[in-house]
Amino acid sequence: ILNQIFFTTCFTSAFSLVWLLSTSQLPQVAGFIHRHPEVVQDIFVLSVASCVSQFAISYTIFCFGAVTLASVMTFRQFISVVMSCFLFGQPLTGVQWCGVLLVLAPVAQRIHKEQQRPE
């Protein structure tokens, strides 16, 4: 797993660098960091969070499989959207509630199936 994470990270870093160079945005990025040195801490925190999440994703796939990861990520997105609707006072329409049910139905079915399985 560590080799996969390492090489994936190396590829994405190289791809990002090539993209910045090919679009001539690297000098703008360097200038922004030079003008706002406090952003370095934010970049570091974002990088650490990305690293930790990559390990969590790989660990989840290794221990539980890709289907479990997909379920967890879908449910996380669902919770994020619903919380955002309530926090910012944007009520869901009837069609959107149907979408909520479409997201929750497989998750609820899987939980029910897991509880029915003999140990």
Side-chain angles (χ1 to χ4, degrees), residues 41-61:
Q41 181 180 359
D42 294 331
I43 293 171
F44 178 76
V45 170
L46 182 62
S47 298
V48 170
S50 177
C51 180
V52 170
S53 67
Q54 188 64 42
F55 275 107
I57 288 169
S58 297
Y59 180 78
T60 302
I61 292 172

Side-chain angles (χ1 to χ4, degrees), residues 111 113-119:
I111 291 170
K113 197 176 188 179
E114 290 289 327
Q115 290 176 346
Q116 300 300 323
R117 187 184 312 170
E119 292 187 29

Side-chain angles (χ1 to χ4, degrees), residues 65-94:
V67 174
T68 300
L69 176 69
S71 297
V72 168
M73 297 304 284
T74 300
F75 193 70
R76 182 190 65 81
Q77 285 285 23
F78 160 75
I79 293 296
S80 176
V81 168
V82 171
M83 283 180 59
S84 176
C85 288
F86 286 112
L87 288 174
F88 296 108
Q90 297 292 326
L92 297 175
T93 66

Side-chain angles (χ1 to χ4, degrees), residues 2-66:
L2 295 178
N3 283 339
Q4 179 185 7
I5 294 171
F6 175 75
F7 288 114
T8 300
T9 304
C10 286
F11 174 78
T12 56
S13 297
F15 184 81
S16 296
L17 180 62
V18 168
W19 184 268
L20 287 173
L21 290 171
S22 68
T23 59
S24 301
Q25 292 181 7
L26 188 59
Q28 294 172 352
V29 171
F32 181 83
I33 292 172
H34 182 70
R35 287 188 310 276
H36 306 283
E38 65 275 5
V39 79
V40 173
Q41 181 180 359
D42 294 331
I43 293 171
F44 178 76
V45 170
L46 182 62
S47 298
V48 170
S50 177
C51 180
V52 170
S53 67
Q54 188 64 42
F55 275 107
I57 288 169
S58 297
Y59 180 78
T60 302
I61 292 172
F62 180 75
C63 292
F64 304 106

